[in-house]
């Protein structure tokens, strides 16, 4: 049959028929081998493909602690060195993750060890000084560098920064040069002014239309910060090629600042506002939006980041190690009854 087809096809040249037929047989044989290999060979996927289709349904997120201020704390707190607001723990748990506290003032080997066993790290809000040695910023710098290394090796590992954590991502993205400027955006709820790239960002591309509508038209994002990241400083210190700016806001003086951003290369995300406060913080001194739409929008960010953590397949080396590392081993202190409290509950640590 094949010879008949080839002979018919080349009948216009009897002289070249044997040569051309031989070449066509060879070419046809090559094509047949390629077709068979497509059906008979195993399908190979990249690490990214595997991460997309295979999720870890027992994600554990590490939350970095931060130093207690030296002054203005109750005398009985003097024995404690660091803390984590319980609202961040509840926030991650609300989206289906468990939490492991990560301590400040540790060695790089400590951070490599713990990060090889958790599925992402959250940098929380606060008011630490990034220039203080062996504290929040130094620990964050090691975590940031280790997370980049994981991702470059094909091990998906996300980072999230809220308010101070957002500012830390900017600081580290600028190679520890301060890209922030003073601003006035404290105790105010704002809507987001989305930039054109929001539709292709990982943070918002899959967000339901209702969430985008709420965020862009209602004052539901909770702002408590006195430093801001401007578009100009991103260009100057961080590089537009490295970071995608997704939304902007204006402070009380009309200064435009970045309110959400993500790395273009790594699964690193930051928001200048506080989603967790709408759900878990109740200080009457804070003008926190608690309405249904504010809570709905806030929950979206927790769900997004925890789902990113599900793409990481790190795990604890033993069940015993996992149980001993979880934050369930600690009891939060109820601080909401204090006159000038800022968080309903705090986890306090002696290291």
């Amino acid at each position: 049959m094949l010879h008949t087809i080839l002979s018919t096809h080349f009948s216009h040249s009897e002289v070249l028929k044997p040569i051309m037929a031989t070449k066509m047989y060879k070419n046809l044989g090559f094509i047949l081998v390629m077709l068979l290999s497509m059906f008979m060979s195993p399908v190979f996927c990249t690490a990214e493909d595997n991460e997309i289709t295979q999720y870890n349904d027992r994600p554990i997120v590490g939350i970095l602690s931060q130093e207690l201020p030296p002054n203005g704390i109750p005398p009985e707190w003097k024995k404690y060195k660091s803390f984590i607001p319980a609202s961040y723990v509840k926030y991650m748990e609300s989206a289906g993750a468990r939490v492991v506290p990560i301590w400040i003032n540790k060695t790089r080997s400590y951070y490599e060890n713990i990060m090889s066993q958790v599925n992402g790290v959250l940098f929380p809000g606060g008011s630490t000084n990034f220039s203080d040695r062996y504290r929040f910023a130094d620990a964050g710098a090691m975590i940031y560098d280790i997370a980049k290394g994981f991702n470059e090796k094909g091990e998906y590992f996300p980072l999230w920064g809220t308010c101070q954590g957002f500012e830390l991502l900017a600081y580290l993205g600028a190679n520890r040069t301060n890209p922030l400027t003073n601003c006035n955006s404290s105790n105010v709820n704002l809507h987001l002014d989305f930039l054109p790239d929001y539709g292709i960002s990982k943070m918002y591309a899959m967000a339901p239309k209702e969430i985008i509508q709420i965020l862009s038209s209602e004052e539901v994002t909770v702002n408590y910060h006195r430093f801001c990241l401007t578009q100009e400083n991103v260009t100057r210190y961080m590089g537009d090629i490295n970071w995608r700016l997704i939304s902007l806001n204006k402070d009380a003086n009309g200064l435009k600042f970045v309110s959400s951003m993500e790395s273009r290369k790594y699964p690193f995300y930051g928001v200048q506002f506080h989603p967790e406060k709408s759900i878990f913080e109740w200080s009457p001194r804070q003008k926190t939006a608690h309405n249904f739409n504010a809570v709905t929008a806030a929950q979206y960010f927790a769900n997004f980041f925890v789902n990113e953590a599900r793409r990481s397949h790190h795990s604890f080396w033993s069940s015993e190690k996992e149980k001993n590392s979880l934050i369930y081993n600690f009891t939060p202190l109820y601080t909401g009854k204090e006159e000038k409290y800022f968080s309903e509950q705090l986890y306090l640590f002696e290291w």
Side-chain angles (χ1 to χ4, degrees), residues 4-25:
T4 303
I5 295 172
L6 291 171
S7 297
T8 303
H9 184 73
F10 290 106
S11 58
H12 64 285
S13 178
E14 292 298 324
V15 176
L16 295 178
K17 185 192 299 182
I19 300 173
M20 297 299 291
T22 301
K23 288 184 177 180
M24 283 298 296
Y25 276 123

Side-chain angles (χ1 to χ4, degrees), residues 8-283:
T8 303
H9 184 73
F10 290 106
S11 58
H12 64 285
S13 178
E14 292 298 324
V15 176
L16 295 178
K17 185 192 299 182
I19 300 173
M20 297 299 291
T22 301
K23 288 184 177 180
M24 283 298 296
Y25 276 123
K26 288 182 178 179
N27 291 337
L28 187 60
F30 174 77
I31 293 170
L32 288 172
V33 169
M34 292 297 294
L35 288 171
L36 287 171
S37 67
M38 290 173 63
F39 291 100
M40 297 177 65
S41 299
V43 177
F44 294 99
C45 301
T46 64
E48 180 73 8
D49 292 332
N50 285 333
E51 295 293 353
I52 290 173
T53 58
Q54 299 174 13
Y55 284 84
N56 165 22
D57 288 332
R58 296 178 63 85
I60 296 178
V61 172
I63 298 180
L64 182 61
S65 68
Q66 57 191 294
E67 56 269 26
L68 280 166
N71 303 310
I73 61 174
E76 60 270 23
W77 288 17
K78 293 296 184 180
K79 65 178 180 179
Y80 299 114
K81 299 296 190 297
S82 67
F83 73 99
I84 293 174
S87 53
Y88 291 97
V89 176
K90 298 174 187 177
Y91 193 52
M92 292 293 94
E93 291 176 340
S94 75
R98 289 172 295 163
V99 168
V100 164
I102 299 179
W103 323 120
I104 56 173
N105 196 19
K106 296 292 183 180
T107 63
R108 183 181 178 92
S109 61
Y110 162 81
Y111 297 112
E112 289 173 338
N113 182 293
I114 193 65
M115 290 174 65
S116 69
Q117 299 175 84
V118 299
N119 308 113
V121 173
L122 185 152
F123 297 144
S127 57
T128 66
N129 189 334
F130 290 171
S131 64
D132 287 346
R133 295 299 308 277
Y134 312 115
R135 303 289 182 90
F136 184 76
D138 276 0
M142 286 185 276
I143 290 170
Y144 183 86
D145 188 56
I146 294 165
K148 287 201 300 183
F150 282 147
N151 285 286
E152 287 166 1
K153 292 189 298 183
E155 298 177 28
Y156 203 85
F157 195 92
L159 298 179
W160 179 274
T162 294
C163 196
Q164 171 188 248
F166 168 95
E167 295 164 7
L168 180 62
L169 287 176
Y171 175 71
L172 299 175
N175 295 316
R176 304 198 75 167
T177 299
N178 186 10
L180 306 173
T181 188
N182 292 328
C183 65
N184 181 10
S185 188
S186 183
N187 207 9
V188 61
N189 302 309
L190 302 170
H191 69 269
L192 300 183
D193 295 323
F194 283 111
L195 291 168
D197 264 8
Y198 91 90
I200 60 172
S201 69
K202 292 179 68 176
M203 190 185 296
Y204 296 110
M206 301 302 292
K209 292 181 180 179
E210 295 79 6
I211 296 296
I212 298 298
Q213 176 65 24
I214 292 169
L215 289 169
S216 62
S217 64
E218 300 181 29
E219 278 63 46
V220 294
T221 66
V222 184
N223 288 259
Y224 292 95
H225 55 99
R226 55 192 177 91
F227 297 110
C228 288
L229 177 68
T230 64
Q231 289 175 288
E232 293 77 15
N233 280 358
V234 170
T235 301
R236 180 179 179 184
Y237 295 106
M238 300 167 63
D240 297 315
I241 195 171
N242 299 319
W243 293 88
R244 173 177 286 115
L245 308 186
I246 314 173
S247 69
L248 300 177
N249 279 111
K250 291 181 181 179
D251 80 343
N253 300 315
L255 176 72
K256 285 186 179 182
F257 64 88
V258 179
S259 49
S260 56
M261 68 177 183
E262 65 187 25
S263 169
R264 295 180 185 272
K265 184 176 181 181
Y266 307 105
F268 299 170
Y269 312 93
V271 295
Q272 182 68 83
F273 49 92
H274 284 268
E276 81 292 341
K277 284 186 179 291
S278 288
I279 312 177
F280 297 110
E281 297 291 5
W282 297 95
S283 170

